[in-house]
Every structure is written in C-alpha cells, then in structure tokens.
Amino acid sequence: MSPELILLLLCLVAFVAGFTDAVVGGGGLIQMPAMFIAFNSWLPVNVIATNRFSSACGTLMAAIQYVRKVEINRKVVLVTSIAAMPAALVGAQVMKHTSPETFKPIVLFVLIAVAIYTYSRKNFGLITKPTIIKTAIYIPVLIGLIIGFYNGFIGPGTGSFLVFVLIGLMQYDFLKASASAKLINFATDFSTLIFFAFSGAINYKIAVPMAVFNIAGGYVGAHLAMLRGSTFVRIFFIVIVCVVILRFAYDIFK
C-alpha cells in the first residue's frame, strides 16, 4: 500500500475519531490503533505524539463549538482541569511500575456496570439539576483526580468515563457533560502536547493532514450533538461504552 493511500485512510479514520470524540468521547479508541497498525516501525512515543497532535486539534474545535452554544460552568471546568493535570502525571508514573493489564479486568467490570446503569435508567443524563451544580468545590476536584489518574495510567475511554462521572456527580445532562468534557480533555492534553512538540516526537507530515480531518469530524460531531440533544448523545454514549467493553475484553481474553 502506497504512503499516500495510507495517509488518506488515516485521514478518514481521523474524521470518524473526531466526530465520535466530539459527541461523547472515545475517539482515541479509533484513531490510536489505526496509527499503530500503519506505523508499526515507529517508536511508540512518535505514534502517541503524532496522534495527540491531531486529536487535540479536533478536541479544541469541538470545544469551541460547544462553548458558543452550550452553557458551561467555567469554574467547574477550570478546577477539574487543574486537578486532572498533576493526577495524569502521577498515573503515568505509577504505570511505569505497575502494568495497566493488572487493572483492566476491574475497568471492564466498571464499564459493564456503567453501560447497564445508563441503559436501565432512561432519564439518566437527560436533564440538568442546577441546584446540585452549585455544590462544594471538592466534587470537581475529585472528578479531576480520578479522571486524570485514569488517563495517565490506562487511557482508553477517558472521555466517555468523564462524561459519565460529570452526569453522575454533577448532575449534568449528556450534552452539557460532553461539552465540559471537551474543555477538560483539551486542557489535560495540552501540557503533554507541549512536551511532545519540544522533544521533536511529532511527525507533522502525518499529524497536520490528520488534524484537518479530525477538526472537520469534531465540527460535524459537535453540531450534530447540539442539534439532536441529550437523547442522541445518550444513545451514542451507550454504543461507545459497549465498543470500549469489547476492546478491553479482547485485551484481557485474547
């Protein structure tokens, strides 16, 4: 397969990943494996860095679209992001000494519980309760610590987990949770992106074209989510969580 065709296919994957990530998270489950397959001779850090550049661009586009149309509690987003960034670094350090494979069965069990809970509670995430949103600051700090650590330690499905936690603890609806998750995700990705850029790990010849398609996917996904509302995002969320479950099950039982 020619390099041009590989790049074209990766750009199409980037569009789908950007769309998925904009709606409810989980785009990394689509784009990252495709890049590892396409560039199996690269060092993992180059694959991760190149992927992070393109996906972060799409996340930023989706976040901008959401901020324009969806009411977001900026204080919650800021506090959660600040808590998540050092937690992600801690998670990455722990990963060096403990294999994430050890905890994947636990994550699989939690994901199955999330899917069952979301499916069985028909009104879950369909309305926002403003009185609960104004609760103590420790809740977004707790969310940031949990999600940040998970992102640094394991990674896949972080966006979807964040949406679920924002709904469960902050009582957001799916649309508001997804919008907030985009901002938090970009904040946590940005610090690592700077490191990758200065270390020369990003292959811009691949990253830039993929970023363009990821941005397009993020734009379309965010607009469709806002147009269709929380009911659509809820269905999409359940589908993505099921995909993540299959991914983890494959990793565990292969």
Side-chain angles (χ1 to χ4, degrees):
M1 190 178 296
S2 68
E4 292 79 11
L5 182 56
I6 291 174
L7 180 57
L8 176 60
L9 291 175
L10 285 175
C11 285
L12 295 177
V13 169
F15 178 88
V16 175
F19 176 91
T20 303
D21 207 56
V23 177
V24 77
L29 293 167
I30 300 171
Q31 186 166 298
M32 181 72 80
M35 292 195 66
F36 270 110
I37 292 171
F39 305 115
N40 54 18
S41 62
W42 287 14
L43 293 174
V45 66
N46 296 118
V47 176
I48 294 170
T50 303
N51 172 76
R52 183 65 54 87
F53 179 90
S54 60
S55 63
C57 290
T59 300
L60 178 59
M61 169 56 73
I64 291 171
Q65 301 308 310
Y66 277 123
V67 168
R68 290 176 176 176
K69 299 290 180 65
V70 179
E71 181 183 355
I72 295 174
N73 189 320
R74 288 177 171 81
K75 181 179 179 181
V76 169
V77 169
L78 179 62
V79 171
T80 305
S81 300
I82 292 173
M85 284 189 278
L89 295 177
V90 172
Q93 290 299 317
V94 173
M95 182 184 65
K96 292 181 179 179
H97 305 286
T98 308
S99 172
E101 304 299 325
T102 305
F103 292 94
K104 280 189 175 181
I106 299 175
V107 176
L108 178 62
F109 174 80
V110 172
L111 282 167
I112 293 172
V114 165
I116 294 173
Y117 184 84
T118 305
Y119 180 78
S120 62
R121 294 194 61 182
K122 303 301 181 182
N123 293 325
F124 180 73
L126 296 184
I127 58 173
T128 295
K129 299 178 181 178
T131 54
I132 299 180
I133 292 176
K134 297 177 181 178
T135 49
I137 200 69
Y138 75 86
I139 295 181
V141 171
L142 179 63
I143 293 172
L145 292 175
I146 294 171
I147 293 300
F149 182 85
Y150 177 82
N151 189 30
F153 186 68
I154 296 180
T158 299
S160 299
F161 265 130
L162 180 54
V163 169
F164 180 81
V165 172
L166 285 171
I167 294 170
L169 294 183
M170 297 301 296
Q171 298 296 300
Y172 285 178
D173 60 43
F174 269 101
L175 187 59
K176 188 166 187 174
S178 187
S180 300
K182 295 292 96 50
L183 290 168
I184 296 167
N185 277 346
F186 179 76
T188 54
D189 286 347
F190 185 69
S191 57
T192 56
L193 194 59
I194 293 175
F195 170 77
F196 286 141
F198 279 101
S199 63
I202 302 172
N203 185 321
Y204 291 101
K205 290 183 179 179
I206 302 296
V208 172
M210 289 185 67
V212 172
F213 279 79
N214 202 286
I215 287 171
Y219 180 88
V220 173
H223 274 270
L224 184 60
M226 289 184 287
L227 179 66
R228 302 294 296 273
S230 289
T231 301
F232 167 76
V233 179
R234 176 181 181 273
I235 295 171
F236 211 91
F237 175 83
I238 294 173
V239 171
I240 293 302
V241 168
C242 289
V243 171
V244 179
I245 288 172
L246 293 174
R247 161 72 185 277
F248 274 99
Y250 173 78
D251 288 344
I252 294 168
F253 299 113
K254 65 181 179 181

